[in-house]
Amino acid sequence: MSDRIQYAHALYRAHGDDAEAEAAQKVLAAEGAGDKDEAEKWRAIRGHIRELRGPNAK
């Protein structure tokens, strides 16, 4: 399992349905700081969290 997937699982366990919003905030912060690599990492984590939440999550 990749580090990003493991982090997504941990974040989801800790924050539940708020984990995706937390990851989205990290994307915005990284973009604001001009760190494209960090923003891309958080986009991937957010995508993994979305998968964990399932298709019926809002």
Side-chain angles (χ1 to χ4, degrees):
M1 188 179 304
S2 79
D3 290 342
R4 293 176 184 188
I5 293 172
Q6 288 177 346
Y7 198 85
H9 278 270
L11 196 61
Y12 188 66
R13 281 192 303 273
H15 295 278
D17 287 339
D18 293 333
E20 189 175 349
E22 178 78 19
Q25 289 175 347
K26 298 283 189 182
V27 170
L28 292 175
E31 287 175 340
D35 191 342
K36 292 179 183 181
D37 291 336
E38 187 73 5
E40 185 56 37
K41 176 183 88 172
W42 280 105
R43 277 189 203 93
I45 291 169
R46 183 180 181 196
H48 293 305
I49 292 168
R50 189 174 292 141
E51 289 177 14
L52 289 172
R53 291 181 67 205
N56 295 327
K58 294 180 180 180

